[in-house]
Amino acid sequence: MMTNTLKQHLQKLHLSGLLSSLELRLQEAEANRLPYAQFLELLLQDEINVRHQRMLARRHKSADFRESRSLENFDFSFNPTQIYELATGHFVRQHRDVLLVGPPGVGKSHLIQAIGLEILKAGFLVLYRSIFDLVRELLTQETMAGEACLLNKYLKPDLLVIDDMGLKILPPKSGEILLEIIMRRYENRSTMMTSNRPIEEWGKLLSDVPAAGAILDRLLHHAEIIPINGRSYRLQSTIKQPPTKK
């Protein structure tokens, strides 16, 4: 039986995982006559598991996904299955980039967040942002120090996920902001983006053709471009819903 002194020691050492399972492990060890080494191994594994789950929870919160998405509940009947290869995180280890291109509604945002979640589970730091939030945050910084601090936030993650490129034309200077992020992450960290418009139209979207050209030159150098085609994923989901009774 666990004593109060033992409980206090575990609390002082912040071994909450071990504390939560110790009573059960003591009963298990007594019932099965476990060797001391095996008993200690089980206790330490309990602590490791709890710390790992806490780490994932912190990283998930830090990633700031818009929605909780997974690959298991995505309909791949009209989309490429190489998405599963991306979810292994191999491209992140190689500091390569990914661009998902396709019309609105086919599930690009779903996929990019689901892939990001799987990569997060593999132990990488991930940050999700829509292109609008990214640009807005940097444009509203009034000091150089504030801008540098925020820029570092986008440079630190192993994988930066930038969603919704092409939904509408971006504010002036957006091209400069995006270019600096892409250039400084180039061959150092991975970037994954979605675009609703062909890459040939990025100059118009950014109102800056030279910046768009420089962005694409670096982004596409080590990038895998995946077209996501088919019927609208959102529209298909709507059609599957039973009609509401009036």
Side-chain angles (χ1 to χ4, degrees):
M1 180 179 294
M2 180 167 52
T3 65
N4 287 332
T5 301
L6 180 56
K7 182 177 181 180
Q8 291 171 2
H9 287 336
L10 294 176
Q11 290 172 335
K12 189 173 182 178
L13 291 170
H14 304 289
L15 297 173
S16 58
L18 195 155
L19 177 60
S20 64
S21 65
L22 181 56
E23 195 70 56
L24 180 62
R25 292 302 188 189
L26 285 168
Q27 295 174 14
E28 182 181 359
E30 183 176 357
N32 296 286
R33 300 179 180 273
L34 295 180
Y36 294 135
Q38 185 179 352
F39 174 61
L40 180 59
E41 182 180 342
L42 290 172
L43 289 178
L44 294 177
Q45 188 61 56
D46 290 337
E47 181 65 30
I48 290 171
N49 291 341
V50 168
R51 294 192 179 196
H52 180 67
Q53 291 303 315
R54 286 178 179 170
M55 180 196 69
L56 289 180
R58 288 195 302 269
R59 291 187 174 184
H60 190 277
K61 183 178 180 180
S62 177
D64 202 16
F65 294 115
R66 183 193 305 165
E67 302 165 303
S68 181
R69 297 294 188 179
S70 70
L71 294 176
E72 285 71 22
N73 56 15
F74 189 83
D75 180 5
F76 282 99
S77 61
F78 54 90
N79 278 312
T81 55
Q82 64 262 42
I83 295 298
Y84 283 106
E85 172 62 26
L86 296 178
T88 65
H90 186 59
F91 78 97
V92 178
R93 297 181 183 91
Q94 295 182 324
H95 300 157
R96 295 177 62 84
D97 303 314
V98 175
L99 178 61
L100 273 60
V101 182
V106 293
K108 298 186 301 301
S109 291
H110 180 133
L111 289 173
I112 207 170
Q113 290 179 91
I115 293 169
L117 179 58
E118 292 302 316
I119 290 172
L120 184 152
K121 291 177 181 178
F124 296 101
L125 290 176
V126 179
L127 177 63
Y128 170 88
R129 276 292 182 275
S130 76
I131 184 68
F132 311 113
D133 290 337
L134 183 151
V135 168
R136 187 184 305 112
E137 287 176 353
L138 284 164
L139 284 176
T140 54
Q141 289 301 309
E142 298 180 353
T143 65
M144 293 289 289
E147 182 178 334
C149 182
L150 189 57
L151 184 61
N152 185 62
K153 172 184 175 181
Y154 292 117
L155 299 178
K156 183 179 178 180
D158 300 301
L159 175 65
L160 175 62
V161 179
I162 304 176
D163 202 4
D164 297 329
M165 183 69 176
L167 282 181
K168 60 182 180 180
I169 295 176
L170 294 167
K173 296 188 178 180
S174 299
E176 297 176 19
I177 290 173
L178 188 58
L179 175 59
E180 182 167 6
I181 292 172
I182 296 300
M183 284 184 64
R184 294 178 65 173
R185 292 184 61 83
Y186 175 64
E187 295 187 334
N188 292 304
R189 298 284 191 276
S190 292
T191 303
M192 185 164 56
M193 296 183 67
T194 67
S195 179
N196 298 299
R197 305 277 284 278
I199 57 178
E200 295 81 6
E201 298 182 16
W202 280 28
K204 296 179 181 178
L205 296 170
L206 294 170
S207 302
D208 191 333
V209 174
I215 291 169
L216 290 170
D217 181 58
R218 286 160 179 79
L219 186 64
L220 301 183
H221 183 207
H222 297 303
E224 182 172 358
I225 304 175
I226 301 179
I228 307 295
N229 302 308
R231 295 170 295 167
S232 169
Y233 191 75
R234 286 191 292 269
L235 179 58
Q236 188 182 54
S237 297
T238 302
I239 293 174
K240 289 180 179 179
Q241 296 296 322
T244 56
K245 295 182 180 180
K246 296 184 178 180

